[in-house]
Coordinates of all heavy atoms in Angstrom, one line a residue:
M1 N -35.6 -46.8 10.5 CA -35.2 -45.7 11.3 C -36.4 -44.8 11.5 O -37.2 -44.6 10.6 CB -34.2 -44.9 10.5 CG -33.7 -43.7 11.2 SD -32.3 -42.9 10.5 CE -33.1 -41.9 9.2
L2 N -36.5 -44.3 12.7 CA -37.6 -43.4 13.1 C -37.1 -42.0 13.3 O -36.2 -41.7 14.0 CB -38.3 -43.8 14.4 CG -38.9 -45.2 14.4 CD1 -39.4 -45.6 15.8 CD2 -40.0 -45.4 13.4
G3 N -37.7 -41.0 12.6 CA -37.4 -39.6 12.8 C -36.0 -39.2 12.5 O -35.2 -39.9 11.9
E4 N -35.7 -37.9 12.8 CA -34.4 -37.3 12.6 C -33.9 -36.8 14.0 O -33.5 -35.6 14.1 CB -34.6 -36.2 11.6 CG -34.8 -36.7 10.2 CD -33.6 -37.5 9.6 OE1 -32.5 -37.2 10.0 OE2 -33.9 -38.4 8.9
A5 N -34.0 -37.6 15.0 CA -33.5 -37.1 16.3 C -32.1 -36.7 16.3 O -31.2 -37.5 16.0 CB -33.7 -38.2 17.3
G6 N -31.8 -35.5 16.5 CA -30.4 -35.0 16.6 C -29.8 -34.7 15.3 O -28.6 -34.4 15.2
G7 N -30.5 -34.8 14.2 CA -30.0 -34.4 12.9 C -29.5 -35.6 12.1 O -29.8 -36.7 12.5
P8 N -28.8 -35.3 11.0 CA -28.4 -36.4 10.1 C -27.6 -37.5 10.8 O -26.7 -37.2 11.6 CB -27.5 -35.7 9.0 CG -28.0 -34.2 9.1 CD -28.4 -34.0 10.5
G9 N -27.9 -38.7 10.5 CA -27.2 -39.8 11.1 C -27.5 -40.1 12.5 O -26.9 -40.9 13.2
R10 N -28.5 -39.4 13.1 CA -28.8 -39.6 14.5 C -30.2 -40.1 14.7 O -30.9 -39.8 15.7 CB -28.7 -38.2 15.2 CG -27.3 -37.6 15.2 CD -26.4 -38.1 16.2 NE -27.0 -38.0 17.5 CZ -26.5 -38.6 18.6 NH1 -25.6 -39.5 18.5 NH2 -27.1 -38.4 19.8
G11 N -30.7 -40.8 13.7 CA -32.1 -41.4 13.8 C -32.2 -42.4 14.9 O -31.2 -42.8 15.5
I12 N -33.4 -43.0 15.0 CA -33.6 -44.0 16.1 C -33.9 -45.3 15.4 O -34.8 -45.4 14.5 CB -34.9 -43.5 16.9 CG1 -34.6 -42.2 17.6 CG2 -35.2 -44.6 17.9 CD1 -35.8 -41.6 18.3
W13 N -33.1 -46.3 15.8 CA -33.4 -47.7 15.3 C -33.8 -48.5 16.6 O -32.9 -48.9 17.3 CB -32.1 -48.3 14.8 CG -31.7 -47.8 13.4 CD1 -32.0 -48.3 12.2 CD2 -30.9 -46.6 13.2 NE1 -31.5 -47.6 11.2 CE2 -30.8 -46.5 11.8 CE3 -30.3 -45.7 13.9 CZ2 -30.1 -45.5 11.1 CZ3 -29.5 -44.7 13.3 CH2 -29.5 -44.6 11.9
P14 N -35.1 -48.7 16.7 CA -35.5 -49.4 17.9 C -35.1 -50.9 18.0 O -35.0 -51.5 19.0 CB -37.0 -49.3 18.0 CG -37.4 -48.8 16.6 CD -36.2 -48.2 15.9
M15 N -34.9 -51.5 16.8 CA -34.6 -52.9 16.7 C -33.5 -53.2 15.7 O -33.5 -52.5 14.7 CB -35.8 -53.8 16.4 CG -36.8 -53.9 17.4 SD -38.1 -55.1 16.9 CE -39.1 -55.1 18.3
T16 N -32.8 -54.2 15.9 CA -31.8 -54.7 14.9 C -32.2 -56.2 14.7 O -32.3 -56.9 15.6 CB -30.4 -54.6 15.5 OG1 -30.1 -53.2 15.8 CG2 -29.4 -55.1 14.4
L17 N -32.3 -56.5 13.4 CA -32.6 -57.9 13.1 C -31.4 -58.7 12.8 O -30.5 -58.3 12.1 CB -33.6 -57.9 11.8 CG -34.8 -57.1 12.0 CD1 -35.6 -57.2 10.7 CD2 -35.7 -57.5 13.2
H18 N -31.3 -59.9 13.4 CA -30.2 -60.8 13.3 C -30.7 -62.1 12.7 O -31.4 -62.9 13.4 CB -29.5 -61.1 14.6 CG -29.0 -59.8 15.3 ND1 -27.8 -59.3 14.9 CD2 -29.4 -59.1 16.3 CE1 -27.5 -58.2 15.6 NE2 -28.6 -58.1 16.5
P19 N -30.4 -62.4 11.4 CA -30.9 -63.7 10.9 C -30.1 -64.8 11.6 O -29.0 -64.6 12.0 CB -30.5 -63.6 9.4 CG -29.5 -62.6 9.3 CD -29.7 -61.6 10.5
G20 N -30.8 -65.9 11.7 CA -30.2 -67.1 12.3 C -30.3 -68.3 11.5 O -31.4 -68.8 11.2
A21 N -29.2 -68.8 11.1 CA -29.2 -70.1 10.3 C -29.7 -71.2 11.2 O -29.1 -71.6 12.1 CB -27.7 -70.4 9.9
G22 N -30.9 -71.7 10.8 CA -31.5 -72.8 11.5 C -32.2 -72.5 12.7 O -33.0 -73.3 13.2
R23 N -32.0 -71.3 13.3 CA -32.6 -71.0 14.6 C -33.7 -69.9 14.4 O -34.4 -69.6 15.3 CB -31.6 -70.5 15.6 CG -30.6 -71.5 16.0 CD -29.7 -71.0 17.0 NE -29.3 -69.6 16.7 CZ -28.5 -68.9 17.4 NH1 -28.0 -69.4 18.5 NH2 -28.2 -67.6 17.1
G24 N -33.9 -69.4 13.2 CA -34.9 -68.4 12.9 C -34.6 -67.0 13.1 O -35.3 -66.1 12.7
G25 N -33.5 -66.7 13.8 CA -33.1 -65.3 14.0 C -33.7 -64.6 15.2 O -34.7 -65.1 15.8
T26 N -33.2 -63.4 15.5 CA -33.8 -62.6 16.6 C -33.9 -61.2 16.2 O -33.2 -60.7 15.3 CB -32.8 -62.7 17.8 OG1 -31.5 -62.2 17.5 CG2 -32.7 -64.1 18.4
A27 N -34.7 -60.5 16.9 CA -34.8 -59.0 16.9 C -34.3 -58.5 18.2 O -34.8 -58.8 19.2 CB -36.2 -58.6 16.7
E28 N -33.2 -57.7 18.1 CA -32.6 -57.1 19.3 C -33.3 -55.8 19.6 O -33.2 -54.9 18.7 CB -31.1 -57.0 19.1 CG -30.4 -56.3 20.3 CD -28.9 -56.1 20.0 OE1 -28.2 -57.1 20.2 OE2 -28.6 -55.0 19.6
V29 N -33.9 -55.6 20.7 CA -34.5 -54.3 21.1 C -33.4 -53.5 21.8 O -32.9 -53.8 22.8 CB -35.7 -54.5 22.0 CG1 -36.4 -53.2 22.2 CG2 -36.7 -55.5 21.4
G30 N -33.1 -52.4 21.2 CA -31.9 -51.6 21.6 C -32.3 -50.5 22.7 O -32.0 -49.4 22.6
F31 N -32.9 -51.0 23.8 CA -33.2 -50.1 24.9 C -32.0 -49.3 25.4 O -32.1 -48.1 25.7 CB -33.8 -50.8 26.1 CG -35.2 -51.4 25.8 CD1 -35.5 -52.7 26.0 CD2 -36.3 -50.5 25.5 CE1 -36.7 -53.2 25.8 CE2 -37.5 -51.0 25.3 CZ -37.8 -52.4 25.4
Q32 N -30.8 -50.0 25.4 CA -29.6 -49.4 25.9 C -29.3 -48.1 25.0 O -28.9 -47.1 25.5 CB -28.5 -50.4 25.8 CG -27.1 -49.8 26.2 CD -26.0 -50.8 26.0 OE1 -26.2 -51.9 25.6 NE2 -24.8 -50.5 26.5
Y33 N -29.5 -48.2 23.7 CA -29.1 -47.2 22.8 C -30.3 -46.1 22.7 O -30.0 -44.9 22.6 CB -28.9 -47.7 21.4 CG -27.7 -48.7 21.4 CD1 -27.9 -50.0 21.0 CD2 -26.5 -48.4 21.9 CE1 -26.9 -50.9 21.0 CE2 -25.5 -49.3 22.0 CZ -25.7 -50.6 21.5 OH -24.7 -51.5 21.5
L34 N -31.5 -46.6 22.8 CA -32.7 -45.7 22.8 C -32.6 -44.7 24.0 O -33.0 -43.6 23.9 CB -34.0 -46.5 22.9 CG -34.4 -47.3 21.6 CD1 -35.6 -48.1 21.9 CD2 -34.6 -46.3 20.5
A35 N -32.0 -45.2 25.1 CA -32.0 -44.3 26.3 C -31.2 -43.0 26.1 O -31.4 -42.0 26.8 CB -31.4 -45.1 27.5
A36 N -30.4 -43.0 25.1 CA -29.6 -41.8 24.8 C -30.2 -40.9 23.7 O -29.6 -40.0 23.3 CB -28.1 -42.3 24.4
R37 N -31.3 -41.3 23.2 CA -32.0 -40.6 22.1 C -33.4 -40.1 22.5 O -34.2 -40.9 23.0 CB -32.1 -41.5 20.9 CG -30.8 -42.2 20.4 CD -30.4 -41.4 19.1 NE -29.4 -42.1 18.3 CZ -28.1 -42.2 18.6 NH1 -27.7 -41.9 19.8 NH2 -27.3 -42.8 17.8
E38 N -33.6 -38.9 22.2 CA -35.0 -38.3 22.4 C -35.9 -39.0 21.4 O -35.5 -39.4 20.3 CB -35.0 -36.8 22.1 CG -34.3 -36.0 23.1 CD -34.9 -36.0 24.5 OE1 -36.1 -36.3 24.6 OE2 -34.2 -35.7 25.5
P39 N -37.1 -39.3 21.8 CA -37.8 -39.0 23.1 C -37.6 -40.1 24.1 O -38.1 -40.0 25.2 CB -39.3 -38.9 22.7 CG -39.4 -40.0 21.6 CD -38.1 -39.9 20.8
F40 N -36.8 -41.2 23.8 CA -36.7 -42.3 24.7 C -35.7 -42.1 25.8 O -35.5 -43.1 26.6 CB -36.3 -43.6 23.8 CG -37.4 -44.0 22.9 CD1 -37.4 -43.8 21.6 CD2 -38.4 -44.8 23.5 CE1 -38.4 -44.2 20.8 CE2 -39.5 -45.2 22.7 CZ -39.5 -44.9 21.3
T41 N -35.2 -40.9 26.0 CA -34.4 -40.6 27.2 C -35.4 -40.7 28.4 O -34.9 -40.9 29.6 CB -33.8 -39.2 27.2 OG1 -34.8 -38.3 26.9 CG2 -32.7 -39.2 26.1
D42 N -36.7 -40.6 28.2 CA -37.7 -40.7 29.2 C -37.9 -42.2 29.4 O -38.4 -42.9 28.5 CB -39.0 -40.0 28.8 CG -40.1 -40.1 29.8 OD1 -40.0 -40.8 30.8 OD2 -41.1 -39.4 29.6
R43 N -37.6 -42.7 30.6 CA -37.7 -44.1 30.9 C -39.2 -44.6 30.7 O -39.4 -45.8 30.3 CB -37.2 -44.4 32.3 CG -37.1 -45.9 32.6 CD -36.5 -46.1 34.0 NE -35.9 -47.4 34.1 CZ -36.6 -48.6 34.4 NH1 -37.9 -48.5 34.5 NH2 -36.0 -49.7 34.5
A44 N -40.1 -43.8 31.0 CA -41.5 -44.2 30.8 C -41.9 -44.5 29.4 O -42.7 -45.4 29.2 CB -42.4 -43.0 31.3
L45 N -41.3 -43.8 28.4 CA -41.5 -44.2 27.0 C -40.9 -45.5 26.6 O -41.5 -46.3 25.9 CB -41.0 -43.1 26.1 CG -41.9 -41.8 26.1 CD1 -41.3 -40.7 25.2 CD2 -43.3 -42.1 25.7
R46 N -39.7 -45.8 27.2 CA -39.1 -47.1 27.0 C -39.9 -48.2 27.6 O -40.1 -49.3 27.0 CB -37.7 -47.1 27.5 CG -36.7 -46.2 26.7 CD -35.3 -46.4 27.0 NE -34.9 -46.5 28.3 CZ -34.7 -45.5 29.2 NH1 -34.8 -44.3 28.7 NH2 -34.3 -45.7 30.4
A47 N -40.5 -47.9 28.8 CA -41.4 -48.9 29.5 C -42.6 -49.1 28.7 O -43.1 -50.3 28.6 CB -41.7 -48.4 30.9
E48 N -43.2 -48.1 28.0 CA -44.3 -48.2 27.2 C -44.0 -49.1 26.0 O -44.8 -50.0 25.6 CB -44.9 -46.9 26.7 CG -46.1 -47.0 25.9 CD -46.6 -45.7 25.3 OE1 -46.3 -44.6 25.9 OE2 -47.4 -45.7 24.3
L49 N -42.9 -48.9 25.4 CA -42.5 -49.8 24.3 C -42.4 -51.2 24.7 O -42.8 -52.2 24.1 CB -41.1 -49.3 23.7 CG -40.5 -50.2 22.6 CD1 -41.5 -50.4 21.4 CD2 -39.2 -49.6 22.1
L50 N -41.8 -51.5 25.9 CA -41.6 -52.8 26.5 C -43.0 -53.4 26.7 O -43.2 -54.6 26.3 CB -40.9 -52.7 27.8 CG -40.7 -54.0 28.5 CD1 -39.5 -54.8 28.1 CD2 -40.7 -53.8 30.0
T51 N -44.0 -52.6 27.2 CA -45.3 -53.1 27.4 C -46.0 -53.5 26.1 O -46.6 -54.6 26.0 CB -46.2 -52.0 28.2 OG1 -45.6 -51.8 29.4 CG2 -47.6 -52.5 28.4
R52 N -45.8 -52.7 25.1 CA -46.4 -53.0 23.8 C -45.8 -54.3 23.2 O -46.5 -55.1 22.6 CB -46.2 -51.8 22.8 CG -47.1 -50.7 23.2 CD -46.8 -49.5 22.2 NE -47.7 -48.4 22.6 CZ -48.2 -47.6 21.7 NH1 -47.9 -47.7 20.4 NH2 -48.9 -46.6 22.1
L53 N -44.5 -54.4 23.3 CA -43.8 -55.7 22.8 C -44.3 -56.9 23.6 O -44.6 -57.9 23.0 CB -42.3 -55.5 22.9 CG -41.7 -54.5 22.0 CD1 -40.2 -54.3 22.3 CD2 -41.8 -55.0 20.5
N54 N -44.4 -56.7 24.9 CA -44.9 -57.9 25.8 C -46.4 -58.2 25.5 O -46.8 -59.3 25.8 CB -44.7 -57.6 27.2 CG -43.3 -57.8 27.7 OD1 -42.5 -58.5 27.1 ND2 -42.9 -57.1 28.8
A55 N -47.1 -57.4 24.8 CA -48.5 -57.7 24.5 C -48.5 -58.7 23.3 O -49.6 -59.3 23.0 CB -49.2 -56.4 24.1
L56 N -47.4 -58.8 22.6 CA -47.3 -59.8 21.5 C -47.3 -61.2 22.1 O -46.6 -61.5 23.1 CB -46.1 -59.6 20.7 CG -46.0 -58.3 19.9 CD1 -44.6 -58.1 19.3 CD2 -47.1 -58.2 18.9
D57 N -48.1 -62.1 21.5 CA -48.1 -63.5 22.0 C -46.7 -64.1 22.0 O -46.0 -64.1 21.0 CB -49.1 -64.3 21.1 CG -49.4 -65.6 21.6 OD1 -49.5 -65.8 22.9 OD2 -49.7 -66.6 20.8
G58 N -46.3 -64.6 23.2 CA -45.1 -65.3 23.3 C -43.9 -64.4 23.7 O -42.8 -64.9 24.0
V59 N -44.1 -63.1 23.7 CA -43.0 -62.2 24.1 C -43.1 -61.9 25.6 O -44.2 -61.5 26.1 CB -43.0 -60.9 23.3 CG1 -41.9 -59.9 23.8 CG2 -42.9 -61.2 21.8
D60 N -42.0 -62.0 26.4 CA -42.0 -61.8 27.8 C -40.7 -61.2 28.2 O -39.8 -61.9 28.7 CB -42.3 -63.0 28.6 CG -42.5 -62.8 30.1 OD1 -42.8 -61.6 30.5 OD2 -42.2 -63.7 30.9
L61 N -40.5 -59.9 28.0 CA -39.3 -59.2 28.3 C -39.5 -58.6 29.7 O -40.4 -57.8 29.9 CB -39.0 -58.1 27.3 CG -38.8 -58.5 25.8 CD1 -38.7 -57.3 24.9 CD2 -37.6 -59.4 25.7
P62 N -38.6 -58.9 30.6 CA -38.7 -58.3 32.0 C -38.3 -56.8 32.0 O -37.5 -56.4 31.2 CB -37.7 -59.1 32.8 CG -36.8 -59.8 31.9 CD -37.5 -59.8 30.5
E63 N -39.0 -56.1 32.9 CA -38.7 -54.6 33.0 C -37.2 -54.3 33.3 O -36.7 -53.3 33.0 CB -39.6 -54.0 34.0 CG -39.5 -52.5 34.0 CD -40.6 -51.8 34.8 OE1 -41.6 -52.4 35.1 OE2 -40.4 -50.6 35.2
G64 N -36.6 -55.3 34.0 CA -35.2 -55.1 34.3 C -34.3 -55.0 33.1 O -33.1 -54.7 33.2
R65 N -34.8 -55.3 31.9 CA -34.0 -55.3 30.6 C -34.1 -53.9 29.9 O -33.6 -53.8 28.9 CB -34.5 -56.4 29.7 CG -34.5 -57.8 30.2 CD -33.1 -58.3 30.6 NE -32.2 -58.3 29.5 CZ -31.8 -59.4 28.8 NH1 -32.4 -60.5 29.0 NH2 -30.9 -59.2 27.9
L66 N -34.8 -52.9 30.6 CA -34.9 -51.6 29.9 C -33.6 -50.9 29.7 O -33.6 -49.9 29.0 CB -35.9 -50.7 30.8 CG -37.3 -50.9 30.5 CD1 -38.2 -50.0 31.4 CD2 -37.7 -50.6 29.1
E67 N -32.6 -51.3 30.3 CA -31.3 -50.6 30.1 C -30.3 -51.5 29.3 O -29.2 -51.2 29.1 CB -30.6 -50.4 31.5 CG -31.5 -49.7 32.5 CD -32.1 -48.4 32.1 OE1 -31.4 -47.6 31.3 OE2 -33.2 -48.1 32.4
L68 N -30.8 -52.6 28.7 CA -30.0 -53.5 28.0 C -30.5 -53.7 26.6 O -31.2 -52.8 26.0 CB -30.0 -54.9 28.8 CG -29.6 -54.8 30.2 CD1 -29.8 -56.2 30.9 CD2 -28.1 -54.4 30.3
R69 N -30.2 -54.8 26.0 CA -30.5 -55.1 24.6 C -31.1 -56.5 24.5 O -30.5 -57.4 24.0 CB -29.3 -55.0 23.7 CG -28.7 -53.6 23.7 CD -27.5 -53.5 22.7 NE -26.7 -54.7 22.5 CZ -25.5 -54.8 23.1 NH1 -25.0 -53.9 24.0 NH2 -24.8 -55.9 22.9
P70 N -32.4 -56.7 25.0 CA -33.0 -58.0 25.0 C -33.4 -58.4 23.6 O -33.5 -57.6 22.7 CB -34.3 -57.8 25.8 CG -34.6 -56.4 25.7 CD -33.3 -55.7 25.6
N71 N -33.5 -59.8 23.4 CA -33.8 -60.3 22.1 C -35.2 -60.9 22.1 O -35.7 -61.5 23.1 CB -32.8 -61.4 21.7 CG -31.5 -60.9 21.5 OD1 -31.3 -60.0 20.7 ND2 -30.5 -61.4 22.1
I72 N -35.8 -60.9 20.9 CA -37.1 -61.5 20.7 C -36.9 -62.5 19.4 O -36.3 -62.0 18.5 CB -38.2 -60.5 20.3 CG1 -38.4 -59.5 21.5 CG2 -39.5 -61.2 20.0 CD1 -39.3 -58.3 21.1
R73 N -37.4 -63.7 19.5 CA -37.3 -64.6 18.4 C -38.1 -64.0 17.2 O -39.3 -63.6 17.4 CB -37.8 -66.0 18.7 CG -36.9 -66.8 19.6 CD -37.3 -68.2 19.8 NE -38.7 -68.5 19.6 CZ -39.6 -68.6 20.6 NH1 -39.2 -68.4 21.9 NH2 -40.9 -68.9 20.4
L74 N -37.5 -63.9 16.0 CA -38.2 -63.4 14.9 C -39.5 -64.1 14.6 O -40.5 -63.5 14.1 CB -37.3 -63.4 13.6 CG -36.2 -62.4 13.6 CD1 -35.4 -62.6 12.3 CD2 -36.8 -61.0 13.7
S75 N -39.6 -65.4 14.9 CA -40.8 -66.2 14.6 C -42.0 -65.6 15.4 O -43.1 -65.8 15.0 CB -40.6 -67.6 15.0 OG -40.3 -67.8 16.3
L76 N -41.8 -64.9 16.5 CA -42.8 -64.3 17.3 C -43.4 -63.0 16.6 O -44.4 -62.6 17.0 CB -42.4 -64.0 18.7 CG -42.0 -65.2 19.5 CD1 -41.5 -64.7 20.9 CD2 -43.1 -66.2 19.7
L77 N -42.6 -62.5 15.7 CA -43.0 -61.3 15.0 C -43.7 -61.5 13.6 O -44.0 -60.5 12.9 CB -41.8 -60.3 14.9 CG -41.1 -60.0 16.2 CD1 -39.9 -59.1 15.9 CD2 -42.0 -59.4 17.2
V78 N -43.9 -62.7 13.3 CA -44.5 -63.1 12.0 C -46.0 -62.9 12.0 O -46.6 -63.3 12.9 CB -44.1 -64.5 11.6 CG1 -44.8 -64.9 10.3 CG2 -42.6 -64.7 11.4
W79 N -46.5 -62.2 11.0 CA -48.0 -62.1 10.9 C -48.4 -62.9 9.6 O -47.8 -62.8 8.6 CB -48.3 -60.6 10.7 CG -48.2 -59.9 12.0 CD1 -47.0 -59.5 12.6 CD2 -49.2 -59.5 12.9 NE1 -47.3 -58.9 13.8 CE2 -48.6 -58.9 14.0 CE3 -50.6 -59.6 12.9 CZ2 -49.4 -58.4 15.1 CZ3 -51.3 -59.1 13.9 CH2 -50.7 -58.6 15.0
R80 N -49.5 -63.5 9.8 CA -50.1 -64.4 8.7 C -51.4 -63.8 8.3 O -52.2 -63.3 9.1 CB -50.3 -65.8 9.2 CG -49.1 -66.4 9.7 CD -48.3 -67.2 8.7 NE -47.2 -68.0 9.2 CZ -46.0 -67.8 8.9 NH1 -45.7 -66.9 8.0 NH2 -45.0 -68.5 9.4
R81 N -51.7 -63.9 7.0 CA -53.0 -63.4 6.5 C -54.0 -64.6 6.7 O -53.7 -65.7 6.4 CB -53.0 -63.1 5.0 CG -54.3 -62.5 4.5 CD -54.1 -61.8 3.2 NE -53.1 -60.7 3.2 CZ -53.4 -59.5 3.7 NH1 -54.5 -59.2 4.3 NH2 -52.4 -58.5 3.6
T82 N -55.1 -64.3 7.3 CA -56.1 -65.3 7.6 C -57.0 -65.5 6.4 O -57.0 -64.8 5.4 CB -57.0 -64.9 8.8 OG1 -57.8 -63.7 8.5 CG2 -56.2 -64.6 10.1
A83 N -57.9 -66.5 6.5 CA -58.8 -66.8 5.4 C -59.8 -65.6 5.1 O -60.2 -65.5 4.0 CB -59.6 -68.1 5.7
T84 N -60.0 -64.8 6.1 CA -60.9 -63.7 5.9 C -60.2 -62.4 5.4 O -60.8 -61.4 5.1 CB -61.6 -63.3 7.3 OG1 -60.6 -62.9 8.2 CG2 -62.5 -64.4 7.8
G85 N -58.9 -62.5 5.2 CA -58.1 -61.4 4.7 C -57.5 -60.5 5.7 O -56.7 -59.7 5.4
S86 N -57.8 -60.8 7.0 CA -57.2 -59.9 8.0 C -55.8 -60.6 8.4 O -55.5 -61.7 8.0 CB -58.1 -59.8 9.3 OG -58.3 -61.1 9.8
C87 N -55.0 -59.9 9.2 CA -53.7 -60.4 9.6 C -53.8 -60.7 11.1 O -54.4 -60.0 11.9 CB -52.6 -59.3 9.3 SG -52.3 -59.1 7.6
S88 N -53.0 -61.7 11.5 CA -52.9 -62.1 12.9 C -51.6 -62.7 13.1 O -50.9 -63.2 12.2 CB -54.0 -63.1 13.2 OG -53.8 -64.3 12.5
P89 N -51.1 -62.6 14.4 CA -49.8 -63.2 14.7 C -49.8 -64.7 14.5 O -50.8 -65.3 14.7 CB -49.6 -62.8 16.1 CG -50.8 -62.1 16.6 CD -51.7 -62.0 15.5
G90 N -48.7 -65.2 14.0 CA -48.7 -66.6 13.8 C -47.3 -67.1 13.5 O -46.3 -66.3 13.4
R91 N -47.1 -68.3 13.4 CA -45.8 -68.9 13.1 C -45.8 -69.7 11.8 O -46.7 -70.1 11.3 CB -45.4 -69.8 14.2 CG -45.2 -69.1 15.5 CD -44.8 -70.0 16.6 NE -45.0 -69.2 17.8 CZ -44.9 -69.5 19.0 NH1 -44.5 -70.7 19.3 NH2 -45.1 -68.8 20.0

């Protein structure tokens, strides 16, 4: 949960994780719900979040999904520690 938008019980959950038996699960991006919560009532901020998510290798959410709840495969959000100790996206 991010912040205390609107007081108790009104926080912001940008994603909901759905485990998937055998399929690896998905992360649902709640643009539809974010649109009703400050600061994401500003479409430009939701578009910035979409741009940042699309910067992840393998993620390609169309801008037309900014009013919906698109899914991202959880396997695309996995980070692996490299031999040098840094983290990088991986499967």
Side-chain angles (χ1 to χ4, degrees):
M1 180 173 80
L2 300 176
E4 289 296 326
R10 300 279 301 164
I12 299 171
W13 286 268
M15 290 187 178
T16 303
L17 304 181
H18 300 282
R23 297 182 319 177
T26 60
E28 178 183 277
V29 185
F31 290 122
Q32 177 182 6
Y33 304 121
L34 289 174
R37 303 259 198 285
E38 291 292 340
F40 290 102
T41 55
D42 181 351
R43 191 175 201 280
L45 287 177
R46 293 192 314 276
E48 181 181 339
L49 176 57
L50 178 86
T51 299
R52 289 179 180 213
L53 291 170
N54 281 338
L56 298 170
D57 192 30
V59 176
D60 185 25
L61 301 173
E63 190 169 337
R65 305 297 303 259
L66 276 178
E67 311 302 326
L68 303 172
R69 300 184 324 260
N71 292 307
I72 299 170
R73 287 190 331 265
L74 285 178
S75 62
L76 297 176
L77 304 179
V78 173
W79 286 75
R80 306 267 187 241
R81 187 162 302 280
T82 65
T84 62
S86 64
C87 291
S88 66
R91 294 178 196 179

